[in-house]
Amino acid sequence: MADSRESFEFLTKRIDEALKGEEDRDGKLRKVCRLLKDNVPYYNWVGFYIVDEKRRNELVLGPFEGERTEHTRIAFGRGICGQAAQIGRTFLVQDVSKEKNYLSCSTNVKSEIVVPIFKNKKVIGELDIDSHALSPFTNQDEAFLKRVSEMVSRIL
Ligand code: SME
């Protein structure tokens, strides 16, 4: 991308529009996944995990774009997703081969960022992005994805 700030600004607007659309919740979330995966070359798998309302300490896979994954339910504390949910903060792993508590989806994945989605200060879900590149994520990605999570929180 020529200027990632500009692109993230543009994507933020497109995501805002998608979230204001007519579709149901999952339709909107799928659109967000598609916008992120199709417009940022190093976002190779983009998905949402939602906290199971009945079993508060488990994440359930929601809409996603990319390869199918066997990790459709993840307990809090397990893998990068479970750790981010338990601790309630963004987990950025620039090289997954160095992370011991990691659930592998595909050998192509080299790095991952997981951003929690909060409602009333509680984690209600998260945005998960896998990349086939090593160390692709910058502070700008992190700030942008936090913004996206805040926007998504409004429809959850
Ligand atoms: N790698 C994740 C599991 C989910 S997949 O990336 C889609 C983890 O370690 O929690």
Side-chain angles (χ1 to χ4, degrees), residues 45 49 69 71 74 78-82 102-103 105 112 128 130:
W45 188 97
Y49 281 93
T69 172
H71 303 298
I74 300 177
R78 287 199 68 221
I80 297 171
C81 290
Y102 171 64
L103 303 169
C105 289
E112 177 164 0
D128 179 14
D130 287 345

Side-chain angles (χ1 to χ4, degrees), residues 77-91:
R78 287 199 68 221
I80 297 171
C81 290
Q83 292 181 83
Q86 190 164 55
I87 298 166
R89 68 164 177 82
T90 295
F91 241 77

Side-chain angles (χ1 to χ4, degrees), residues 21-59:
E22 298 283 299
E23 286 147 297
D24 62 4
R25 184 197 82 166
D26 281 3
K28 288 177 183 171
L29 293 181
R30 199 162 298 116
K31 252 192 187 163
V32 174
C33 292
R34 219 170 291 145
L35 280 167
L36 292 172
K37 185 171 180 290
D38 291 350
N39 289 286
V40 186
Y42 51 94
Y43 291 0
N44 301 112
W45 188 97
V46 179
F48 288 96
Y49 281 93
I50 309 294
V51 174
D52 186 330
E53 277 172 27
K54 292 183 206 95
R55 306 160 73 169
R56 287 285 317 164
N57 54 355
E58 214 166 82
L59 296 157

